[in-house]
Protein backbone atom coordinates (compact mmCIF):
# COMPACT_ATOMS: atom_id res chain seq x y z
CA UNK A 1 0.00 0.00 0.00
CA UNK A 2 1.29 3.44 -0.92
CA UNK A 3 1.20 6.38 1.49
CA UNK A 4 1.37 9.83 -0.12
CA UNK A 5 2.26 12.97 1.81
CA UNK A 6 1.77 16.49 0.50
CA UNK A 7 4.80 18.70 1.01
CA UNK A 8 7.32 21.13 -0.43
CA UNK A 9 10.60 19.98 -1.99
CA UNK A 10 13.54 22.23 -1.08
CA UNK A 11 16.76 22.15 -3.06
CA UNK A 12 19.61 24.26 -1.66
CA UNK A 13 23.32 24.22 -0.89
CA UNK A 14 24.66 22.29 2.10
CA UNK A 15 25.02 25.26 4.52
CA UNK A 16 21.44 26.42 3.87
CA UNK A 17 20.15 22.87 4.31
CA UNK A 18 21.94 22.69 7.66
CA UNK A 19 20.36 26.02 8.63
CA UNK A 20 16.88 24.65 7.82
CA UNK A 21 17.60 21.42 9.72
CA UNK A 22 18.78 23.48 12.70
CA UNK A 23 15.58 25.59 12.54
CA UNK A 24 13.57 22.37 12.67
CA UNK A 25 15.64 20.95 15.54
CA UNK A 26 15.10 24.08 17.65
CA UNK A 27 11.31 23.62 17.61
CA UNK A 28 9.27 21.43 19.98
CA UNK A 29 8.34 17.99 18.65
CA UNK A 30 4.78 19.04 17.83
CA UNK A 31 6.01 21.88 15.55
CA UNK A 32 8.73 20.05 13.60
CA UNK A 33 8.21 20.51 9.87
CA UNK A 34 10.75 18.31 8.08
CA UNK A 35 9.08 15.25 6.61
CA UNK A 36 12.26 13.70 5.20
CA UNK A 37 15.89 14.70 4.57
CA UNK A 38 16.56 13.22 1.15
CA UNK A 39 20.27 14.02 0.96
CA UNK A 40 22.65 16.84 1.93
CA UNK A 41 21.01 19.36 -0.45
CA UNK A 42 17.37 18.22 -0.68
CA UNK A 43 14.70 18.36 2.03
CA UNK A 44 10.98 17.55 1.95
CA UNK A 45 8.93 19.70 4.37
CA UNK A 46 5.31 20.30 5.31
CA UNK A 47 3.63 22.78 2.94
CA UNK A 48 2.37 25.20 5.62
CA UNK A 49 5.93 26.24 6.64
CA UNK A 50 7.16 27.31 3.20
CA UNK A 51 6.64 31.04 3.82
CA UNK A 52 8.14 30.83 7.32
CA UNK A 53 11.27 29.18 5.92
CA UNK A 54 11.52 31.81 3.17
CA UNK A 55 11.23 34.67 5.67
CA UNK A 56 13.77 33.12 8.06
CA UNK A 57 16.25 32.64 5.20
CA UNK A 58 15.71 36.24 4.03
CA UNK A 59 16.34 37.50 7.57
CA UNK A 60 19.44 35.28 7.90
CA UNK A 61 20.84 36.61 4.61
CA UNK A 62 20.09 40.21 5.57
CA UNK A 63 21.79 39.77 8.94
CA UNK A 64 24.86 38.20 7.31
CA UNK A 65 25.34 40.51 4.34
CA UNK A 66 28.25 42.93 4.42
CA UNK A 67 27.42 46.50 3.50
CA UNK A 68 30.45 48.66 2.84
CA UNK A 69 30.36 51.84 4.93
CA UNK A 70 30.46 55.15 3.03
Amino acid sequence: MVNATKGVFISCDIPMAQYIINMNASLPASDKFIIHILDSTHIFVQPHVEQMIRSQIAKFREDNTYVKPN
Side-chain angles (χ1 to χ4, degrees):
M1 188 161 157
V2 176
N3 292 329
T5 304
K6 185 175 183 178
V8 175
F9 177 75
I10 298 175
S11 179
C12 57
D13 60 359
I14 294 172
M16 193 55 64
Q18 289 300 313
Y19 179 73
I20 295 169
I21 292 167
N22 187 42
M23 282 174 35
N24 186 66
S26 68
L27 296 173
S30 62
D31 294 336
K32 294 199 184 287
F33 55 82
I34 292 180
I35 296 170
H36 193 70
I37 300 170
L38 303 169
D39 62 25
S40 60
T41 60
H42 300 97
I43 304 171
F44 192 57
V45 300
Q46 296 176 358
H48 69 275
V49 297
E50 179 182 5
Q51 192 55 42
M52 183 270 294
I53 292 172
R54 287 180 186 272
S55 65
Q56 288 291 330
I57 289 173
K59 182 182 179 305
F60 175 76
R61 286 185 174 162
E62 182 179 310
D63 292 347
N64 291 293
T65 300
Y66 175 74
V67 177
K68 184 177 178 181
N70 292 333

